[in-house]
Amino acid sequence: MKLSKIPPIGYVDHLKESALLASEGVGIESGIRILEEGLNEWPDELEQSIRWVVKERKLRNEIRKSNT
């Protein structure tokens, strides 16, 4: 079965949120692995999603530090 050039609507957002939760709970490697396995057919989406997770994780960590 051939996959579309564009992932299903909502699929990328779901994977990014799942990866972010995993990266905060277990570690960044786990989050990236989720993205790699889920987006291996869409390399452009994979690259953008990895950047988003890293940036969002960093932002959330800075917010947590400023609140303590």
Side-chain angles (χ1 to χ4, degrees), residues 7-61:
I9 295 172
Y11 181 70
V12 174
D13 291 336
H14 172 72
L15 282 177
K16 289 191 311 190
E17 290 296 329
S18 297
L20 181 60
L21 288 172
S23 71
E24 290 177 335
V26 181
I28 191 70
E29 296 86 6
S30 297
I32 300 304
R33 191 172 313 122
I34 288 171
L35 294 174
E36 289 173 341
E37 290 177 10
L39 296 172
N40 63 353
E41 296 294 323
W42 300 284
D44 292 338
E45 292 291 338
L46 174 60
E47 182 78 23
Q48 292 172 5
S49 296
I50 289 172
R51 287 184 185 149
W52 182 86
V53 167
V54 170
K55 185 175 89 173
E56 190 67 24
R57 183 173 185 253
K58 183 177 178 182
L59 178 65
R60 290 184 183 190
N61 284 338

